[in-house]
Amino acid sequence: MVELNPFEIAQKQLDDCAEILKLDDDVREILRNPMRELHVSIPVRMDDGTTRVFKGFRVQYNDAKGPTKGGIRFHPEETIDTVRALAAWMTWKCALLDLPLGGGKGGVICNPKELSDNELEHLSRGYIDQVWQFIGPDKDIPAPDVYTTPQIMAWMMDEFSKLTGKNEFGCITGKPVTIGGSCGRDDATARGGMYTIREAAKKLGIDLSKAKVAIQGYGNAGCNAAFLCRELFDAKIVAISDSKGGIYNEDGLDLELACNTKSDTSTVVNSPRETTKKITNEELIELDVDVLITAALENVITKENAPRVKAKIVAELANGPTTPEADEILYNNGVHVIPDFLCNAGGVTVSYFEMVQNIDRYNWEVEEVYDRLDRRMTSAYRSVLDTSKAYKINMRQAAYVVAVNRVVESMKLRGWIKMK
Ligand code: NAD
C-alpha cells in the first residue's frame, strides 16, 4: 500500500469536509492548496570557518481570515509537504478558535543538536534574512515548533527589527516574557485541553474529581496536563508513559516523583516499584479509565486497538493520534473524542494573545490570560459539539465543518469567491 504523505492526508480530510458542506469545485481547489510558499537557501558560516547552505520553507496557506500564523520547525527530516500540511491544519485551527488569523508554517532542514549556539543563532537570523519581506505583524507571524525555542524566537525578532529599523515585538510569538512574551504561554496547550475536557465531562455527566486519567507521553504537553488535571479537577492520574514505557497505580501516581525519576533517568519507567506497576504504551491506551489523554505521537489509536479503548473521553493533545478508521470505531462505540486541532489549540490562542499585548504594549496578568483562553476554548468546544449533533457526524468532522465554513465565509465576504 502506498503511504499517504501528510499533505495528501490534509487534502483528504478537507475533501471529506467539502463533501459534507457540498462546496463548489472552485472553492475546493482554492482550499486544497497553499496560497503562497517560499523556498529559501540559507548560507551559514560554521564555527570551523566553512560555509554550509541550509534549505528552508515558509508556507502561507490561506489568509482569508487575517495574517497567517504558525510555527517554524528545525528538523533533519523536514519536507515541504509536511510544512504544507501543518500550514493547512493551522488554517483550520485558527478558524475553529475564531482567531482573526490565517494559517502558515515554516521549516528548516537541519539538525539543531549538531549545531553550536553560535551556528544556531546564525541559522535563525539567516532564515529571517531570507523571508523577512514576506512576514510581519500584518502579514505572517511565526512562532516556535519542534526544536525551536523562545531564545530562537528572540534572535529572529531581533533580526527582523534590525531589518525594518524598529522594535517589532509583534512579528513573532513564543518569545521570552522579558521581551514581549505572554504569561501563561508555557502550559497553554495543556491548559486549553483541560477546558475542553471539563466541557466534555459536563456533557457526559462525569464527575472529574472522581475520574481516573491515563496520559500517553510525559513531555511538555503531557506533564503539564497531568499537573493541571490534579490542580483544576482533583482527578486521579493512574497511568503515564514515555517512549520507554509506562507506569500505573490505580490509587493515583506521585507526579512529582515521576518527574524527578524522568529527569534523573530520562524515563518515568524507573519509578520505585513499591508504588507503581510497569505497563506498556499499548496497555495504557486500553486502560479502564474515564479520560485518556494522548500527548505523544501520531497514529497510536488504530483500527486494531480502537475496539478495546475503554475511556469515555479521548483528549488529543498530540497531533494526529487517531487514524481515520479508528475515529469511526470510537464514534460508533460512543467514545467522546476531543479532536487534536480543538484540544491542542490553547498554544496558538495564547500566541495570539501575545500578539495583541505586543500591539498594545501591555502585559496582561496571568489570570486574564487563563480567563480569555477558557472563554475561547469553551466556545470552540460548544460549536463543535453542536455541529456534531446537527450533522450527525463525529467531533473531528464537526471541527472541520466549523473551521472550513468560517474560512469560506471570509473568502465570500472578501469577494474571492461568488456569494450564493
Ligand atoms: P515532547 O517532546 O515534550 O514530549 C513528547 C513525549 O512523548 C515524551 O515524553 C516522549 O518520551 C513521549 N514519546 C515519544 N515516543 C513515544 C512513544 N512511542 N510512546 C509513548 N510516548 C512517547 O513533545 P510535546 O511538546 O509535549 O508534544 C507532544 C505532542 O503534542 C505532539 O504531537 C505535538 O505536536 C503536540 N502539541 C504540542 C504542543 C505544545 O505546545 N507543546 C502544541 C500543540 C500540539
Side-chain angles (χ1 to χ4, degrees):
M1 201 180 88
V2 181
E3 209 177 291
L4 287 176
N5 80 16
F7 186 46
E8 285 169 350
I9 293 174
Q11 288 186 315
K12 163 87 175 63
Q13 290 166 338
L14 175 73
D15 291 342
D16 291 346
C17 172
E19 278 303 305
I20 297 170
L21 287 174
K22 299 190 181 18
L23 295 180
D24 289 343
D25 287 348
D26 55 343
V27 179
R28 292 181 196 212
E29 210 41 42
I30 295 175
L31 296 177
R32 287 184 102 248
N33 293 294
M35 190 181 69
R36 190 178 301 117
E37 61 184 49
L38 191 62
H39 295 227
V40 296
S41 299
I42 311 156
V44 176
R45 180 70 58 89
M46 307 300 280
D47 292 347
D48 64 5
T50 59
T51 298
R52 262 182 75 186
V53 182
F54 294 88
K55 244 188 126 29
F57 314 104
R58 186 74 194 164
V59 173
Q60 297 170 347
Y61 196 84
N62 184 298
D63 66 358
K65 277 184 65 63
T68 49
K69 173 125 196 67
I72 301 169
R73 290 185 163 199
F74 281 4
H75 199 277
E77 273 124 48
E78 193 63 278
T79 67
I80 183 62
D81 274 342
T82 311
V83 181
R84 287 176 181 139
L86 291 162
W89 289 324
M90 281 305 295
T91 306
W92 315 134
K93 194 187 284 194
C94 291
L96 181 60
L97 269 290
D98 217 3
L99 307 177
L101 296 169
K105 207 80 180 189
V108 176
I109 305 172
C110 68
N111 186 352
K113 291 181 188 160
E114 290 172 355
L115 300 175
S116 69
D117 277 357
N118 184 48
E119 290 164 344
L120 199 57
E121 177 174 353
H122 281 104
L123 178 60
S124 307
R125 291 185 184 276
Y127 180 78
I128 294 299
D129 294 343
Q130 297 302 327
V131 304
W132 74 277
Q133 282 154 318
F134 297 85
I135 65 169
D138 300 317
K139 295 184 193 170
D140 180 16
I141 307 100
D145 201 281
V146 174
Y147 294 151
T148 49
T149 59
Q151 175 61 74
I152 290 176
M153 298 304 109
W155 289 326
M156 289 184 168
M157 180 276 286
D158 184 68
E159 188 69 12
F160 187 83
S161 298
K162 282 180 177 159
L163 289 161
T164 60
K166 42 192 172 134
N167 278 303
E168 297 261 21
F169 281 24
C171 75
I172 213 157
T173 60
K175 302 179 292 294
V177 173
T178 325
I179 49 168
S182 176
C183 290
R185 179 66 185 82
D186 294 355
D187 67 359
T189 302
R191 190 174 287 274
M194 292 304 116
Y195 298 141
T196 63
I197 291 172
R198 181 196 63 205
E199 292 306 302
K202 264 190 224 163
K203 172 201 155 7
L204 299 174
I206 297 171
D207 177 354
L208 285 172
S209 69
K210 298 196 177 81
K212 289 183 181 174
V213 180
I215 303 178
Q216 186 189 48
Y218 207 55
N220 182 343
C223 185
N224 280 324
F227 281 85
L228 285 169
C229 266
R230 191 177 67 181
E231 180 193 322
L232 300 177
F233 310 135
D234 204 18
K236 207 182 276 175
I237 316 302
V238 295
I240 55 174
S241 70
D242 55 41
S243 56
K244 309 255 168 50
I247 52 172
Y248 175 79
N249 180 341
E250 69 171 337
D251 297 322
L253 293 166
D254 180 337
L255 300 180
E256 284 79 3
L257 184 62
C259 280
N260 291 339
T261 309
K262 188 157 169 76
S263 64
D264 292 346
T265 69
S266 84
T267 171
V268 296
V269 176
N270 296 326
S271 293
R273 283 285 81 84
E274 314 80 66
T275 52
T276 64
K277 193 179 114 190
K278 249 185 178 179
I279 53 165
T280 63
N281 268 295
E282 292 71 30
E283 287 167 336
L284 183 143
I285 296 286
E286 298 174 22
L287 283 175
D288 189 3
V289 290
D290 300 283
V291 183
L292 169 65
I293 300 178
T294 57
L297 297 179
E298 329 55 78
N299 301 339
V300 291
I301 306 182
T302 62
K303 66 175 191 278
E304 274 76 38
N305 62 6
R308 295 189 297 277
V309 169
K310 298 177 197 71
K312 299 180 185 75
I313 298 172
V314 172
E316 298 182 341
L317 277 185
N319 281 312
T322 309
T323 65
E325 296 103 327
D327 248 342
E328 269 319 290
I329 297 169
L330 296 179
Y331 182 62
N332 292 331
N333 288 351
V335 178
H336 187 78
V337 175
I338 309 173
D340 48 7
F341 71 99
L342 168 61
C343 192
N344 69 30
V348 70
T349 304
V350 175
S351 268
Y352 162 63
F353 295 161
E354 181 175 332
M355 285 172 59
V356 174
Q357 293 169 74
N358 292 154
I359 290 164
D360 281 351
R361 298 197 197 292
Y362 193 80
N363 297 335
W364 299 346
E365 302 285 327
V366 76
E367 288 72 24
E368 182 166 0
V369 173
Y370 294 163
D371 182 48
R372 287 175 184 266
L373 177 63
D374 191 349
R375 279 186 272 145
R376 290 261 173 192
M377 297 298 301
T378 302
S379 160
Y381 175 85
R382 289 184 186 158
S383 312
V384 174
L385 183 63
D386 291 347
T387 306
S388 154
K389 285 183 191 156
Y391 284 78
K392 297 192 174 46
I393 51 180
N394 69 38
M395 289 285 281
R396 189 177 328 275
Q397 290 165 324
Y400 261 94
V401 165
V402 174
V404 171
N405 243 338
R406 286 185 180 149
V407 174
V408 170
E409 200 51 34
S410 306
M411 294 200 305
K412 273 187 196 158
L413 289 165
R414 293 182 70 157
W416 296 4
I417 52 176
K418 61 181 182 297
M419 285 275 187
K420 271 203 176 160

